[in-house]
Amino acid sequence: MIRPIYLYGSKVLREVAPEADLTKKEEIAALVQDLKDTLKSSEGCGLAAPQIGVSSRVLIVDGDAVADNYPYLKGFRRTMINPVLVSEGEGRCEFSEGCLSVPGVYGDVLRPESITVEYYDETLTKRRETFDKFGCRMIQHEMSHLDGVLFTDLLAPIRRKIVARKIQRVAAGKVATAYQSKIK
């Protein structure tokens, strides 16, 4: 089911999401399907459960949405339930990010170049993987959502000041999106 994407100013985006209850397999499967349906309809490359109004540590990423610019991401898809950052590489890189919950706002964010994550996949099998390049960026962005952190929080202070008016317009609902959205 396609759900509305919650926009900046929505309380759920600022909450630290609790772990998903792995004993509730049908509930998790339904949430994952809703995330996939919603992401597909929005043409984004990642989505976390809080962005559809569900405070739970579940996220998905889909590299096909950006494969024109990053061909190595063709077919790169992950569903992560209760992801935990195990380690970060020493290198850092800066890249421009945007977010379905903050439409029309972009800015450079400094993040680790590589990360290792433990998580459960959609079959509830525990996995441990190391990610780099833009796949790493997508996963870190979505994991930040699970901790109530938006990419705008990570912008350099001067950039945050520059985009402040746009962010306020989003929070006031004065933004048009090509996908269903709401503020709550």
Side-chain angles (χ1 to χ4, degrees), residues 32-74:
V32 167
Q33 190 59 54
D34 288 355
L35 283 165
K36 288 178 178 182
D37 293 345
T38 303
L39 182 62
K40 186 176 182 179
S41 75
S42 70
E43 299 180 4
C45 63
L47 198 60
Q51 291 180 274
I52 61 169
V54 179
S55 189
S56 182
R57 297 188 83 76
V58 180
L59 66 85
I60 64 169
V61 293
D62 185 344
D64 283 351
V66 293
D68 288 346
N69 293 326
Y70 307 101
Y72 60 88
L73 288 175
K74 183 76 175 159

Short mmCIF file of all heavy atoms in Angstrom, two decimals, residues 32-74:
data_model
loop_
_atom_site.label_atom_id
_atom_site.label_comp_id
_atom_site.label_asym_id
_atom_site.label_seq_id
_atom_site.Cartn_x
_atom_site.Cartn_y
_atom_site.Cartn_z
N VAL A 32 7.33 -3.60 5.34
CA VAL A 32 8.34 -3.62 4.27
C VAL A 32 7.66 -3.44 2.92
O VAL A 32 8.14 -2.66 2.08
CB VAL A 32 9.18 -4.92 4.32
CG1 VAL A 32 10.00 -5.09 3.06
CG2 VAL A 32 10.07 -4.92 5.56
N GLN A 33 6.54 -4.10 2.69
CA GLN A 33 5.84 -3.95 1.41
C GLN A 33 5.34 -2.52 1.23
O GLN A 33 5.44 -1.95 0.14
CB GLN A 33 4.68 -4.95 1.29
CG GLN A 33 4.08 -4.98 -0.10
CD GLN A 33 5.11 -5.35 -1.17
OE1 GLN A 33 5.77 -6.37 -1.08
NE2 GLN A 33 5.25 -4.50 -2.19
N ASP A 34 4.82 -1.92 2.31
CA ASP A 34 4.37 -0.53 2.23
C ASP A 34 5.54 0.40 1.91
O ASP A 34 5.40 1.34 1.13
CB ASP A 34 3.70 -0.10 3.54
CG ASP A 34 2.32 -0.72 3.74
OD1 ASP A 34 1.83 -1.43 2.82
OD2 ASP A 34 1.75 -0.52 4.83
N LEU A 35 6.69 0.15 2.51
CA LEU A 35 7.88 0.96 2.22
C LEU A 35 8.26 0.83 0.74
O LEU A 35 8.54 1.82 0.07
CB LEU A 35 9.06 0.54 3.10
CG LEU A 35 9.03 1.02 4.55
CD1 LEU A 35 10.03 0.25 5.40
CD2 LEU A 35 9.28 2.52 4.63
N LYS A 36 8.25 -0.40 0.22
CA LYS A 36 8.59 -0.62 -1.18
C LYS A 36 7.61 0.07 -2.11
O LYS A 36 8.01 0.73 -3.08
CB LYS A 36 8.65 -2.12 -1.49
CG LYS A 36 9.85 -2.81 -0.88
CD LYS A 36 9.82 -4.30 -1.18
CE LYS A 36 11.04 -4.99 -0.61
NZ LYS A 36 11.06 -6.43 -0.93
N ASP A 37 6.31 -0.09 -1.83
CA ASP A 37 5.29 0.53 -2.68
C ASP A 37 5.42 2.05 -2.66
O ASP A 37 5.33 2.71 -3.69
CB ASP A 37 3.88 0.13 -2.21
CG ASP A 37 3.57 -1.35 -2.41
OD1 ASP A 37 4.31 -2.03 -3.16
OD2 ASP A 37 2.60 -1.82 -1.79
N THR A 38 5.62 2.60 -1.47
CA THR A 38 5.72 4.04 -1.31
C THR A 38 6.98 4.58 -1.99
O THR A 38 6.93 5.60 -2.69
CB THR A 38 5.69 4.42 0.18
OG1 THR A 38 4.49 3.90 0.77
CG2 THR A 38 5.73 5.93 0.37
N LEU A 39 8.09 3.88 -1.80
CA LEU A 39 9.34 4.32 -2.43
C LEU A 39 9.21 4.29 -3.95
O LEU A 39 9.61 5.25 -4.63
CB LEU A 39 10.51 3.44 -1.99
CG LEU A 39 11.88 3.83 -2.55
CD1 LEU A 39 12.27 5.25 -2.10
CD2 LEU A 39 12.94 2.83 -2.13
N LYS A 40 8.65 3.24 -4.48
CA LYS A 40 8.49 3.13 -5.93
C LYS A 40 7.64 4.27 -6.48
O LYS A 40 7.94 4.84 -7.52
CB LYS A 40 7.85 1.78 -6.29
CG LYS A 40 7.79 1.54 -7.78
CD LYS A 40 7.26 0.16 -8.08
CE LYS A 40 7.27 -0.06 -9.59
NZ LYS A 40 6.79 -1.39 -9.93
N SER A 41 6.60 4.65 -5.76
CA SER A 41 5.72 5.72 -6.23
C SER A 41 6.35 7.10 -6.10
O SER A 41 5.91 8.05 -6.74
CB SER A 41 4.39 5.70 -5.47
OG SER A 41 4.54 6.22 -4.17
N SER A 42 7.39 7.22 -5.28
CA SER A 42 8.02 8.52 -5.03
C SER A 42 9.26 8.75 -5.87
O SER A 42 9.76 9.85 -5.94
CB SER A 42 8.40 8.64 -3.56
OG SER A 42 9.48 7.78 -3.28
N GLU A 43 9.80 7.71 -6.46
CA GLU A 43 11.02 7.76 -7.26
C GLU A 43 12.25 8.17 -6.44
O GLU A 43 13.19 8.75 -6.96
CB GLU A 43 10.84 8.67 -8.48
CG GLU A 43 9.75 8.19 -9.41
CD GLU A 43 9.55 9.08 -10.63
OE1 GLU A 43 10.30 10.05 -10.80
OE2 GLU A 43 8.62 8.79 -11.38
N GLY A 44 12.24 7.83 -5.17
CA GLY A 44 13.41 8.06 -4.33
C GLY A 44 14.31 6.84 -4.36
O GLY A 44 14.02 5.85 -5.04
N CYS A 45 15.42 6.88 -3.60
CA CYS A 45 16.34 5.75 -3.57
C CYS A 45 16.41 5.10 -2.19
O CYS A 45 17.12 4.11 -2.01
CB CYS A 45 17.73 6.16 -4.06
SG CYS A 45 18.56 7.39 -3.05
N GLY A 46 15.67 5.62 -1.23
CA GLY A 46 15.65 5.01 0.09
C GLY A 46 14.50 5.57 0.91
O GLY A 46 14.01 6.67 0.64
N LEU A 47 14.07 4.78 1.89
CA LEU A 47 12.96 5.20 2.73
C LEU A 47 13.05 4.46 4.05
O LEU A 47 13.32 3.26 4.08
CB LEU A 47 11.63 4.87 2.03
CG LEU A 47 10.37 5.56 2.49
CD1 LEU A 47 10.47 7.08 2.33
CD2 LEU A 47 9.17 5.05 1.70
N ALA A 48 12.84 5.19 5.14
CA ALA A 48 12.83 4.61 6.48
C ALA A 48 11.40 4.65 7.02
O ALA A 48 10.61 5.53 6.67
CB ALA A 48 13.77 5.38 7.39
N ALA A 49 11.07 3.69 7.87
CA ALA A 49 9.71 3.57 8.41
C ALA A 49 9.19 4.89 9.01
O ALA A 49 8.02 5.23 8.78
CB ALA A 49 9.65 2.44 9.43
N PRO A 50 9.99 5.67 9.76
CA PRO A 50 9.45 6.92 10.29
C PRO A 50 8.94 7.87 9.19
O PRO A 50 8.03 8.67 9.43
CB PRO A 50 10.64 7.53 11.04
CG PRO A 50 11.45 6.34 11.45
CD PRO A 50 11.34 5.40 10.28
N GLN A 51 9.49 7.75 7.99
CA GLN A 51 9.06 8.63 6.91
C GLN A 51 7.65 8.31 6.42
O GLN A 51 7.05 9.12 5.72
CB GLN A 51 10.04 8.56 5.74
CG GLN A 51 11.37 9.19 6.06
CD GLN A 51 12.29 9.10 4.87
OE1 GLN A 51 12.98 8.10 4.69
NE2 GLN A 51 12.29 10.14 4.05
N ILE A 52 7.13 7.13 6.78
CA ILE A 52 5.73 6.84 6.45
C ILE A 52 4.90 6.77 7.73
O ILE A 52 3.83 6.18 7.78
CB ILE A 52 5.57 5.56 5.59
CG1 ILE A 52 6.09 4.31 6.29
CG2 ILE A 52 6.23 5.76 4.23
CD1 ILE A 52 5.71 3.00 5.59
N GLY A 53 5.43 7.39 8.78
CA GLY A 53 4.66 7.54 10.02
C GLY A 53 4.76 6.39 10.99
O GLY A 53 4.01 6.34 11.96
N VAL A 54 5.69 5.47 10.78
CA VAL A 54 5.83 4.30 11.65
C VAL A 54 7.17 4.38 12.38
O VAL A 54 8.23 4.34 11.75
CB VAL A 54 5.76 2.98 10.85
CG1 VAL A 54 5.94 1.78 11.78
CG2 VAL A 54 4.46 2.88 10.08
N SER A 55 7.11 4.51 13.68
CA SER A 55 8.34 4.60 14.47
C SER A 55 8.85 3.18 14.74
O SER A 55 8.50 2.54 15.72
CB SER A 55 8.08 5.34 15.78
OG SER A 55 9.29 5.60 16.45
N SER A 56 9.67 2.71 13.81
CA SER A 56 10.24 1.36 13.88
C SER A 56 11.55 1.35 13.11
O SER A 56 11.70 2.06 12.11
CB SER A 56 9.26 0.35 13.27
OG SER A 56 9.75 -0.96 13.37
N ARG A 57 12.49 0.54 13.54
CA ARG A 57 13.83 0.51 12.94
C ARG A 57 13.85 -0.39 11.71
O ARG A 57 14.43 -1.48 11.71
CB ARG A 57 14.87 0.09 13.97
CG ARG A 57 14.95 1.11 15.12
CD ARG A 57 16.08 0.84 16.06
NE ARG A 57 17.34 1.39 15.58
CZ ARG A 57 17.68 2.68 15.60
NH1 ARG A 57 16.84 3.58 16.08
NH2 ARG A 57 18.85 3.08 15.13
N VAL A 58 13.21 0.10 10.66
CA VAL A 58 13.13 -0.61 9.39
C VAL A 58 13.40 0.40 8.27
O VAL A 58 12.87 1.51 8.29
CB VAL A 58 11.73 -1.25 9.18
CG1 VAL A 58 11.66 -1.98 7.85
CG2 VAL A 58 11.40 -2.20 10.34
N LEU A 59 14.23 -0.02 7.29
CA LEU A 59 14.52 0.85 6.16
C LEU A 59 14.72 0.02 4.91
O LEU A 59 14.98 -1.19 4.98
CB LEU A 59 15.76 1.72 6.43
CG LEU A 59 17.11 1.02 6.56
CD1 LEU A 59 17.78 0.80 5.20
CD2 LEU A 59 18.03 1.83 7.45
N ILE A 60 14.59 0.68 3.78
CA ILE A 60 14.90 0.05 2.50
C ILE A 60 15.71 1.02 1.66
O ILE A 60 15.58 2.24 1.80
CB ILE A 60 13.63 -0.40 1.72
CG1 ILE A 60 12.77 0.81 1.33
CG2 ILE A 60 12.83 -1.42 2.50
CD1 ILE A 60 11.66 0.48 0.34
N VAL A 61 16.55 0.48 0.79
CA VAL A 61 17.25 1.28 -0.21
C VAL A 61 17.15 0.54 -1.54
O VAL A 61 17.10 -0.69 -1.58
CB VAL A 61 18.73 1.56 0.15
CG1 VAL A 61 18.84 2.45 1.37
CG2 VAL A 61 19.52 0.28 0.35
N ASP A 62 17.12 1.32 -2.61
CA ASP A 62 17.00 0.75 -3.96
C ASP A 62 17.88 1.56 -4.91
O ASP A 62 17.55 2.69 -5.26
CB ASP A 62 15.55 0.77 -4.42
CG ASP A 62 15.33 0.08 -5.75
OD1 ASP A 62 16.32 -0.16 -6.48
OD2 ASP A 62 14.17 -0.21 -6.07
N GLY A 63 19.00 0.97 -5.30
CA GLY A 63 19.95 1.66 -6.15
C GLY A 63 19.49 1.87 -7.58
O GLY A 63 20.06 2.69 -8.30
N ASP A 64 18.46 1.14 -8.02
CA ASP A 64 17.98 1.31 -9.39
C ASP A 64 17.55 2.75 -9.67
O ASP A 64 17.69 3.22 -10.80
CB ASP A 64 16.81 0.36 -9.69
CG ASP A 64 17.28 -1.07 -9.93
OD1 ASP A 64 18.50 -1.30 -10.03
OD2 ASP A 64 16.41 -1.96 -9.99
N ALA A 65 17.08 3.44 -8.65
CA ALA A 65 16.62 4.82 -8.83
C ALA A 65 17.75 5.77 -9.21
O ALA A 65 17.49 6.83 -9.78
CB ALA A 65 15.92 5.32 -7.56
N VAL A 66 18.98 5.40 -8.88
CA VAL A 66 20.13 6.27 -9.18
C VAL A 66 21.15 5.58 -10.10
O VAL A 66 22.26 6.07 -10.27
CB VAL A 66 20.82 6.76 -7.88
CG1 VAL A 66 19.90 7.69 -7.10
CG2 VAL A 66 21.26 5.59 -7.02
N ALA A 67 20.76 4.45 -10.68
CA ALA A 67 21.69 3.66 -11.50
C ALA A 67 22.13 4.38 -12.77
O ALA A 67 23.20 4.05 -13.31
CB ALA A 67 21.08 2.30 -11.83
N ASP A 68 21.36 5.36 -13.24
CA ASP A 68 21.81 6.12 -14.41
C ASP A 68 23.10 6.87 -14.09
O ASP A 68 24.00 6.97 -14.93
CB ASP A 68 20.74 7.12 -14.87
CG ASP A 68 19.55 6.43 -15.54
OD1 ASP A 68 19.67 5.23 -15.88
OD2 ASP A 68 18.52 7.09 -15.72
N ASN A 69 23.20 7.41 -12.88
CA ASN A 69 24.40 8.13 -12.45
C ASN A 69 25.45 7.20 -11.83
O ASN A 69 26.64 7.51 -11.85
CB ASN A 69 24.04 9.22 -11.44
CG ASN A 69 23.23 10.33 -12.05
OD1 ASN A 69 23.41 10.67 -13.21
ND2 ASN A 69 22.29 10.86 -11.29
N TYR A 70 24.99 6.11 -11.22
CA TYR A 70 25.87 5.16 -10.54
C TYR A 70 25.54 3.75 -11.04
O TYR A 70 24.83 3.00 -10.36
CB TYR A 70 25.68 5.25 -9.01
CG TYR A 70 25.82 6.65 -8.49
CD1 TYR A 70 24.69 7.42 -8.17
CD2 TYR A 70 27.08 7.22 -8.32
CE1 TYR A 70 24.83 8.72 -7.71
CE2 TYR A 70 27.22 8.51 -7.85
CZ TYR A 70 26.08 9.26 -7.55
OH TYR A 70 26.22 10.53 -7.09
N PRO A 71 26.04 3.38 -12.22
CA PRO A 71 25.69 2.08 -12.83
C PRO A 71 25.95 0.88 -11.92
O PRO A 71 25.25 -0.13 -12.01
CB PRO A 71 26.56 2.02 -14.09
CG PRO A 71 26.89 3.44 -14.40
CD PRO A 71 26.93 4.16 -13.09
N TYR A 72 26.94 0.98 -11.04
CA TYR A 72 27.25 -0.14 -10.14
C TYR A 72 26.13 -0.41 -9.14
O TYR A 72 26.12 -1.45 -8.48
CB TYR A 72 28.58 0.10 -9.41
CG TYR A 72 28.60 1.35 -8.56
CD1 TYR A 72 28.18 1.33 -7.24
CD2 TYR A 72 29.06 2.55 -9.09
CE1 TYR A 72 28.20 2.48 -6.47
CE2 TYR A 72 29.09 3.71 -8.32
CZ TYR A 72 28.66 3.67 -7.01
OH TYR A 72 28.67 4.80 -6.25
N LEU A 73 25.16 0.50 -9.03
CA LEU A 73 24.04 0.29 -8.10
C LEU A 73 22.84 -0.39 -8.76
O LEU A 73 21.84 -0.65 -8.08
CB LEU A 73 23.61 1.62 -7.48
CG LEU A 73 24.60 2.19 -6.46
CD1 LEU A 73 24.15 3.56 -5.98
CD2 LEU A 73 24.77 1.25 -5.28
N LYS A 74 22.93 -0.70 -10.03
CA LYS A 74 21.85 -1.42 -10.70
C LYS A 74 21.62 -2.74 -9.96
O LYS A 74 22.54 -3.53 -9.76
CB LYS A 74 22.20 -1.68 -12.17
CG LYS A 74 21.11 -2.34 -12.95
CD LYS A 74 20.03 -1.33 -13.27
CE LYS A 74 18.97 -1.98 -14.16
NZ LYS A 74 17.72 -1.28 -14.10
#
